[in-house]
């Protein structure tokens, strides 16, 4: 017997449960978070841009450099310790992607 969520696939698309995005967030933020979660590793700006280009994802380097600091301030990604600025997804970011964390109403990071 199919899960109840399957009956709503026409409404939500491939996402079984809807995400509760903050008003300041963009679809690019979701793609960045999904990439960081899928990779399971930390990446710098250029590493993410290179991976997106290789996968034909049309999110520019400039967008990545603007969005990651906002995602960091919101607690959705963190900078790994060590040399350089390598970003990894946080537990809060993973919970958001699963639809378990409601970001609506959260203030926009500076």
């Amino acid at each position: 017997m199919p899960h109840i969520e399957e009956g709503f696939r026409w409404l939500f698309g491939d996402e079984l449960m809807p995400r509760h995005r903050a008003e300041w967030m963009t679809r690019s933020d979701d793609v960045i978070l999904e990439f960081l979660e899928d990779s399971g590793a930390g990446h710098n700006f250029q590493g993410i841009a290179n991976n997106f280009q290789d996968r034909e994802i049309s999110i520019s380097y400039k967008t990545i450099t603007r969005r990651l600091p906002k995602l960091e301030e919101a607690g959705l990604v963190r900078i790994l310790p060590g040399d350089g600025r390598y970003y990894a997804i946080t537990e809060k970011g993973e919970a958001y992607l699963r639809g378990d964390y409601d970001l609506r109403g959260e203030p926009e990071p500076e």
Side-chain angles (χ1 to χ4, degrees), residues 57-76:
I57 297 171
S58 59
I59 297 175
S60 69
Y61 177 85
K62 185 176 179 178
T63 297
I64 293 165
T65 63
R66 280 195 335 260
R67 301 311 302 170
L68 273 170
K70 286 191 178 276
L71 296 173
E72 179 192 4
E73 191 170 327
L76 300 171

Side-chain angles (χ1 to χ4, degrees), residues 53-98:
Q53 182 177 7
D54 185 56
R55 291 168 172 80
E56 298 181 357
I57 297 171
S58 59
I59 297 175
S60 69
Y61 177 85
K62 185 176 179 178
T63 297
I64 293 165
T65 63
R66 280 195 335 260
R67 301 311 302 170
L68 273 170
K70 286 191 178 276
L71 296 173
E72 179 192 4
E73 191 170 327
L76 300 171
V77 300
R78 66 187 179 94
I79 296 176
L80 297 177
D83 293 338
R85 296 180 69 84
Y86 290 84
Y87 291 87
I89 193 167
T90 62
E91 288 182 20
K92 181 179 176 182
E94 290 173 342
Y96 161 72
L97 289 178
R98 288 190 309 269

